[in-house]
Amino acid sequence: MATGATENAIWPMPKFKFDVKWASGLYKMSFSEVSGLDAEAQIIEYRHGNSKNPWPIKMPGVQKYSNVSLKRGVFVGQNQFYAWFAKIQLNTIKRETITISLLNEKNKPTMVWTLHNAWPTKVTGTDLKSDANEAAIETMEIAFEWMTIKNNNNP
């Protein structure tokens, strides 16, 4: 064991305990998988005409984010994915703030991703196989404008 390391800092967090919430409280769903929590800064290359260097300067540009995929089991009578997706009409949809939290063993958030102005861009129903022995899973892809990330110091 490293000297001076706290017990919380020895091991990375397990990723199987998480929570997804809509700020409006309109949708209450549990998910089996969340993926696509990516952030990237585009690269701007610039070289002025009298530069003595034959290479361009690289500067950070606009940040962009991948769409987030949410997967969940199909349950009888639960149609929230399609209900939200069906509200898209002529560029009008209620945008949501979605919070995805990685939880510790006490169910307290340790890492929190907040997706701002989120809306559904794609819904994929489950595949159907007559010889399969697995749960039916549906997927929703969420687009959003920006993301904030918080890593709590005191879990």
Side-chain angles (χ1 to χ4, degrees):
M1 181 186 314
T3 57
T6 65
E7 186 175 321
N8 291 338
I10 296 174
W11 305 107
M13 291 290 304
K15 63 180 182 176
F16 60 80
K17 201 171 195 179
F18 59 92
D19 190 27
V20 180
K21 292 183 181 175
W22 273 251
S24 68
L26 185 61
Y27 302 101
K28 296 182 194 272
M29 296 178 261
S30 296
F31 298 95
S32 60
E33 184 179 332
V34 175
S35 60
L37 295 168
D38 303 336
E40 175 183 345
Q42 293 178 342
I43 298 170
I44 299 171
E45 292 187 1
Y46 174 76
R47 184 177 179 277
H48 55 85
N50 63 351
S51 174
K52 293 183 169 69
N53 298 324
W55 56 83
I57 298 168
K58 293 189 178 186
M59 302 176 287
V62 175
Q63 291 182 358
K64 67 179 192 175
Y65 305 98
S66 299
N67 291 343
V68 170
S69 292
L70 304 172
K71 293 185 179 184
R72 70 180 202 137
V74 175
F75 293 93
V76 175
Q78 291 188 359
N79 200 28
Q80 296 98 330
F81 271 8
Y82 298 101
W84 191 24
F85 186 76
K87 292 181 181 178
I88 298 174
Q89 293 182 10
L90 298 174
N91 195 26
T92 59
I93 187 163
K94 181 176 179 355
R95 294 172 183 248
E96 296 277 349
T97 299
I98 299 174
T99 304
I100 301 165
S101 303
L102 180 63
L103 306 175
N104 66 12
E105 66 280 352
K106 297 175 185 169
N107 288 332
K108 301 289 183 201
T110 57
M111 188 95 176
V112 178
W113 295 264
T114 305
L115 314 179
H116 301 274
N117 288 339
W119 55 278
T121 184
K122 182 178 181 182
V123 177
T124 306
T126 186
D127 60 335
L128 304 171
K129 296 181 192 173
S130 63
D131 62 346
N133 187 18
E134 55 199 40
I137 303 292
E138 61 186 358
T139 305
M140 175 176 276
E141 203 169 294
I142 305 287
F144 57 95
E145 292 181 8
W146 81 95
M147 172 172 57
T148 55
I149 304 170
K150 182 178 177 188
N151 192 341
N152 294 333
N153 294 354
N154 303 317

